[in-house]
Amino acid sequence: MRIIHSDACIAEGAAHLAAVEPRFAMALDTVGTLPLRRRKDGFAALVDAIVSQQVSVAAADAIYGRLKDANLIGPRKIMWASDEDLRACGLSRQKIRYVRALAEARIDFKALRSAPTEQVITELTAVPGIGVWTAEIYAMFSLGHADVFAPGDLALQESARILFDLDERPREKAFRILAEPWSPWRSVAARLLWAYYHVAKDREGIR
């Protein structure tokens, strides 16, 4: 399993994609250098992902910042906190349930670093509030998996519609099949499509 560690890995993946798909070569000429986008893994990363669900980037940043300021990021801190404490930071009732479920799940984050993508997704999606998209994004950016994709992402779907001149956005199942030839660099393909989305739509594709 290839892990993306550096900008050199991204460049290698981008060169491969440009060689196998001419439209990717065109997109790379448009967007330029792709970002590394590696993040820390672990409990806090998934709390951040839960906080970000269905809110704006600004709102998510504000809520997560209040949780950090209140020292309510670790699993024990969340389990010991009252609902009122968590609500005061901006969490909804549903998200309070989700972060508590995550705290109680006792995920072995260190073991996930060497686990295959399928296992990562299975373990994370067993926790209420963590769907396949969130698990795929975690594998892609927090663990650095080079060959994971997120076909349910609307920005990726819209970017592919524009780049490949499709009549409509590809649905998740069809998009997963469309992305198969981009292996073993599907996470670089995702970075490229998000970057192309930003240029094509002139707005942010992913936080």
Side-chain angles (χ1 to χ4, degrees):
M1 181 175 62
R2 182 69 185 263
I3 300 297
I4 292 175
H5 296 287
S6 66
D7 291 327
C9 299
I10 298 294
E12 181 183 346
H16 172 84
L17 292 169
V20 301
E21 173 50 66
R23 298 198 193 211
F24 278 146
M26 183 272 290
L28 280 166
D29 287 340
T30 300
V31 305
T33 303
L34 298 178
L36 178 59
R37 273 186 165 165
R38 280 301 306 269
R39 304 172 181 169
K40 291 183 178 180
D41 67 328
F43 182 83
L46 286 174
V47 171
D48 191 16
I50 290 171
V51 166
S52 300
Q53 292 172 0
Q54 298 179 326
V55 298
S56 68
V57 171
D61 286 343
I63 295 168
Y64 190 75
R66 287 194 289 268
L67 286 170
K68 287 181 67 177
D69 291 343
N71 197 23
L72 292 175
I73 296 298
R76 291 185 180 179
K77 297 290 186 180
I78 286 178
M79 291 177 71
W80 293 340
S82 68
D83 285 0
E84 290 72 21
D85 291 335
L86 296 171
R87 195 175 297 116
C89 293
L91 290 181
S92 65
R93 180 179 301 177
Q94 185 179 55
K95 289 185 180 180
I96 289 172
R97 182 168 67 86
Y98 290 163
V99 296
R100 290 197 189 282
L102 178 61
E104 294 168 358
R106 300 181 182 274
I107 295 171
D108 186 343
F109 290 103
K110 186 175 180 180
L112 285 186
R113 292 174 183 171
S114 58
T117 302
E118 294 76 13
Q119 181 180 338
V120 172
I121 293 172
T122 297
E123 290 196 27
L124 295 185
T125 55
V127 180
I130 298 179
V132 173
W133 180 88
T134 299
E136 289 169 336
I137 295 298
Y138 183 86
M140 189 183 300
F141 294 136
S142 293
L143 299 179
H145 289 199
D147 199 29
V148 61
F149 199 64
D153 187 275
L154 293 180
L156 287 182
Q157 293 174 2
E158 178 65 7
S159 182
R161 182 191 68 79
I162 298 168
L163 181 60
F164 291 94
D165 196 24
L166 305 176
D167 291 335
E168 59 183 9
R169 294 175 184 168
R171 298 191 178 185
E172 185 171 350
K173 185 176 180 180
F175 200 11
R176 194 177 296 277
I177 294 170
L178 178 66
E180 286 178 356
W182 308 336
S183 181
W185 292 103
R186 282 177 286 187
S187 72
V188 178
R191 286 169 169 84
L192 175 52
L193 286 170
W194 274 312
Y196 189 72
Y197 175 92
H198 182 76
V199 171
K201 305 293 286 189
D202 195 28
R203 65 172 183 255
E204 187 177 19
I206 185 173
R207 177 168 179 259

